[in-house]
Amino acid sequence: MIGRPAPRLGKADGGLAQPKWPERVALGPSQQESDLEDFFKIAVGAALGASFYATSVSAQDPIRTIHLLSRPQAAQPAEFQAIQLIAQEWRKLGLDVEVDVMPWSQMANAVWYNRDDWDVTAWQMTGRPERSDPDEIIYNLFHSSTADKGYNFIGYNNPEYDKLVEEQRVTVDPEKRQKLVIEAQKMLDADQPNMMLVHPQQAFAFDKTVFDPATVVDQSGIGIRSYWTWLSLAPTGEQKDVIVNSSDNVIAVNPLYISGVTDNWLTELIYDRLYRVGPDGLPTPWAAEGHEWRDEKTIAVTLRDGLKFHDGNPVTAEDVVFSYQATTGGEAPMYAPFGQNITNIEIEGDNVIVFTLATPSASFLTSSLAKINIIPKHVWKPILADLSSKEENAESHQEEMPIGSGAYKFVRWLPNEEIVLEANADHFNAPKADRFILRIVPNAEAALGMLRSGELNFLTDFQGDPQVLITAADEDGDLQVVSTVDIGFRYVAFNLRRPPFDDPAFRRALSSAVDRRLIVNAAFKKFAVPSNSVVSPALEYWHAADVVDGFKAGPDVAKSILEEAGYGGVGERLAYPEGVSETLGK
């Protein structure tokens, strides 16, 4: 994105004043000649001085206009407000900042698939159950191997960090691994590849006259908007459908593409996994009956009997092997990190799958067995074969009728309106509700109105002021609100591929410019906790509290970092350190 031209120096801008000619006076010829000679000496000297001054100023090249991306206020009011506050604080440093607002689908495409072309963006990591283990966050989000097409879309590359997070992966002893995970958080604090903002305190609401409150499951670090709730939620009357909302549109329903928060709710329900992360945050057998570690790098998993895909075909051990091979075959880059440690998969008998790992894995049950979707080989094998000769990969493919073996079946998708799933009565843990209906409601106020009118009965995505939700529940009497500190987090992502964001000092300054308490209070209405770590305080064992508590912020802190790093024009028109030029336009 090319910014606006830098303003030219002028008198009104505090630029160079023009030399003033002397007033005409009645002088003799000799005196006039002498005075004019003196004047020209002064004028030439002034011009030379001005030239020297201008050269010294231009030696520090002004930083171009920075474009900061955000979703619209109506869809994400907390994010939008936070970004406005951040832009305001950055301008105080002397940066020219423009906020570009765009819907989620457009922003995701601009950031994810055009990794060289954006500056800074608001972003979030959702509190998915498999992120109860810190590996997915601290490894996949920052390891250099995932920078090309995977989660590390910011382009962070630190060999010391790579080595550290690789080591925590193979460290089975919990206490030793805990130290490595905390050290990783400290390294990220020093580098500030992302500007962490908050861990939201998610507020969800449901109609307690429609569902039995005792059947709502509050999952650790996830809240009541959980997989376990959708299975156990018991209707108490004639309304048998679970009707939920999302402020973001659905991008894809694809078992080989991790495309967003809302999409993940659907793939969790349509597709089974060998394991699930339970309400307590620990892995529990699901499509598998159980497992046996034969040694530190070999695990045998027994597939549950009687599983069927939604088209009636049985789920076999071959389908499981195919599902894992699909993630590492190059067609599903976002899932690749979750299977890359597997060196071999064999089938023993009819239902035992033996995984051989390259290295011991402390998080294998959670990060692989509870992460990868089981897909039908008879459906996806020809699809992947066709895609292998094309530029696009499996992430771009959308089945007309997605087929899994999960607790819900796909029924229909009306783009920009709703997606309907129906309960799979043959599932070993069949839902108690008849259907799961997701409605796209971009406006927070409209979503609350639909909950109060009965058009929704479970508010799964409310981006407005949580206090408004609590007040509505008190007034109605039919609604129940539950809030939980999320595993996930909101942050600002810097594009480290683009100067000046490739400079850790510049990133530290921008991050330090904003007091997170301002974001918590003004943008999130106090329903969040300040963050400076990707590991949530909801994961107390892995969370580095010192990294958060010791973070210093404020404009003076930020300006001091910039000045110490040699940046010019701090507080006026921020410029690169001497000898560094703008390469991406003015």
Side-chain angles (χ1 to χ4, degrees):
M1 299 180 183
I2 304 301
R4 295 192 304 268
R8 297 179 180 177
L9 287 173
K11 191 171 182 180
D13 307 311
L16 300 177
Q18 299 300 314
K20 186 177 180 181
W21 289 89
E23 296 180 5
R24 291 175 180 260
V25 292
L27 298 172
S30 60
Q31 183 63 49
Q32 289 181 7
E33 186 176 303
S34 176
D35 284 349
L36 284 173
E37 184 179 347
D38 290 342
F39 169 77
F40 279 115
K41 288 180 180 178
I42 294 170
V44 170
L48 289 172
S51 175
F52 174 80
Y53 178 73
T55 301
S56 66
V57 169
S58 62
Q60 291 192 256
D61 205 8
I63 295 171
R64 70 186 183 284
T65 297
I66 298 299
H67 289 262
L68 175 55
L69 309 184
S70 171
R71 287 175 287 183
Q73 183 172 14
Q76 294 285 336
E79 175 181 297
F80 181 85
Q81 179 66 23
I83 291 303
Q84 298 300 324
L85 292 169
I86 290 166
Q88 172 184 291
E89 296 305 307
W90 287 357
R91 290 179 186 123
K92 293 177 183 177
L93 302 179
L95 271 180
D96 183 13
V97 183
E98 283 191 5
V99 176
D100 297 339
V101 178
M102 56 186 67
W104 167 243
S105 56
Q106 181 184 348
M107 190 166 90
N109 183 70
V111 171
W112 197 265
Y113 291 109
N114 298 278
R115 299 194 171 192
D116 294 327
D117 298 337
W118 54 277
D119 286 325
V120 201
T121 185
W123 209 255
Q124 69 184 83
M125 289 294 285
T126 313
R128 294 173 183 161
E130 58 271 22
R131 291 171 180 165
S132 297
D133 187 283
D135 179 74
E136 182 176 342
I137 297 293
I138 65 170
Y139 184 94
N140 292 318
L141 203 59
F142 301 104
H143 193 277
S144 61
S145 66
T146 69
D148 184 25
K149 295 181 179 179
Y151 271 109
N152 183 5
F153 63 92
I154 62 173
Y156 182 58
N157 188 346
N158 182 337
E160 290 185 21
Y161 184 86
D162 282 358
K163 182 179 179 181
L164 185 65
V165 293
E166 288 165 7
E167 186 178 355
Q168 66 83 27
R169 279 195 146 186
V170 302
T171 303
V172 178
D173 183 281
E175 291 186 3
K176 292 180 180 178
R177 185 174 178 230
Q178 179 194 42
K179 292 179 181 178
L180 295 170
V181 170
I182 288 175
E183 185 60 32
Q185 293 170 71
K186 292 179 179 179
M187 195 173 293
L188 293 175
D189 171 44
D191 277 357
Q192 290 290 321
N194 287 327
M195 177 180 173
M196 295 296 300
L197 298 179
V198 301
H199 295 280
Q201 189 169 337
Q202 299 278 19
F204 308 110
F206 64 95
D207 191 327
K208 60 187 179 183
T209 67
V210 176
F211 302 112
D212 178 1
T215 63
V216 175
V217 180
D218 190 357
Q219 185 170 358
S220 175
I222 302 295
I224 62 173
R225 185 186 66 190
S226 71
Y227 178 80
W228 304 101
T229 289
W230 309 140
L231 268 58
S232 66
L233 197 61
T236 57
E238 295 182 359
Q239 173 58 277
K240 305 295 184 182
D241 296 336
V242 180
I243 310 173
V244 308
N245 72 299
S246 172
S247 60
D248 288 328
N249 215 333
V250 174
I251 297 175
V253 182
N254 182 335
L256 296 176
Y257 178 36
I258 306 171
S259 51
V261 178
T262 305
D263 303 16
N264 186 69
W265 308 345
L266 301 169
T267 53
E268 276 191 334
L269 295 174
I270 296 171
Y271 301 93
D272 277 322
R273 299 170 184 174
L274 289 174
Y275 271 65
R276 293 280 183 190
V277 175
D280 59 0
L282 300 176
T284 186
W286 192 245
E289 292 180 354
H291 72 278
E292 174 193 3
W293 283 103
R294 293 180 175 174
D295 57 51
E296 63 179 8
K297 294 191 290 186
T298 308
I299 181 172
V301 179
T302 303
L303 186 65
R304 183 186 292 271
D305 289 332
L307 293 175
K308 290 184 178 181
F309 288 112
H310 298 152
D311 61 1
N313 284 283
V315 177
T316 67
E318 285 191 3
D319 291 304
V320 175
V321 173
F322 175 79
S323 301
Y324 278 78
Q325 290 175 339
T327 67
T328 57
E331 296 297 334
M334 291 188 70
Y335 273 101
F338 310 114
Q340 68 181 14
N341 194 36
I342 301 170
T343 59
N344 189 50
I345 312 177
E346 294 182 353
I347 299 173
E348 293 182 355
D350 292 331
N351 64 345
V352 175
I353 303 103
V354 181
F355 295 88
T356 303
L357 310 182
T359 59
S361 174
S363 66
F364 186 71
L365 295 183
T366 299
S367 62
S368 291
L369 298 188
K371 181 68 177 180
I372 293 175
N373 298 306
I374 299 174
I375 60 177
K377 182 178 180 179
H378 63 280
V379 171
W380 278 94
K381 184 177 180 180
I383 294 172
L384 296 183
D386 179 60
L387 288 170
S388 65
S389 61
K390 297 179 179 179
E391 184 176 348
E392 62 268 26
N393 58 36
E395 293 181 349
S396 62
H397 182 80
Q398 179 59 62
E399 298 171 272
E400 184 176 342
M401 182 64 68
I403 295 173
S405 62
Y408 280 91
K409 301 177 182 180
F410 182 91
V411 176
R412 68 172 181 268
W413 179 0
L414 300 177
N416 304 317
E417 294 184 28
E418 69 175 17
I419 287 185
V420 178
L421 311 179
E422 67 179 8
N424 180 6
D426 296 329
H427 196 267
F428 63 88
N429 197 335
K432 296 179 174 61
D434 288 349
R435 297 190 300 175
F436 181 91
I437 302 174
L438 169 68
R439 289 184 172 153
I440 308 303
V441 188
N443 186 281
E445 292 182 5
L448 178 54
M450 291 173 71
L451 178 67
R452 301 181 81 168
S453 69
E455 295 174 84
L456 303 173
N457 53 35
F458 209 117
L459 196 67
T460 47
D461 183 7
F462 184 68
Q463 300 298 331
D465 184 348
Q467 190 57 52
V468 173
L469 185 58
I470 293 170
T471 301
D474 291 340
E475 291 174 352
D476 285 17
D478 295 341
L479 307 179
Q480 184 166 325
V481 179
V482 180
S483 63
T484 308
V485 174
D486 204 334
I487 290 175
F489 48 87
R490 300 294 188 99
Y491 65 106
V492 170
F494 300 127
N495 192 342
L496 277 61
R497 299 174 177 85
R498 292 168 65 90
F501 301 104
D502 57 345
D503 180 7
F506 184 78
R507 300 194 302 265
R508 282 197 300 272
L510 264 58
S511 186
S512 298
V514 183
D515 190 330
R516 302 308 191 268
R517 292 173 298 182
L518 177 65
I519 303 298
V520 168
N521 295 333
F524 287 85
K525 312 301 182 185
K526 300 183 180 179
F527 276 78
V529 295
S531 177
N532 186 40
S533 170
V534 292
V535 179
S536 169
L539 304 177
E540 185 177 359
Y541 184 77
W542 304 108
H543 177 64
D546 291 349
V547 165
V548 179
D549 297 340
F551 183 73
K552 296 180 180 179
D556 291 341
V557 176
K559 289 178 180 179
S560 176
I561 293 172
L562 290 170
E563 289 169 352
E564 187 174 332
Y567 285 84
V570 177
E572 296 177 2
R573 183 69 170 93
L574 195 60
Y576 285 99
E578 289 189 17
V580 180
S581 299
E582 179 60 74
T583 59
L584 298 173
K586 299 296 184 182

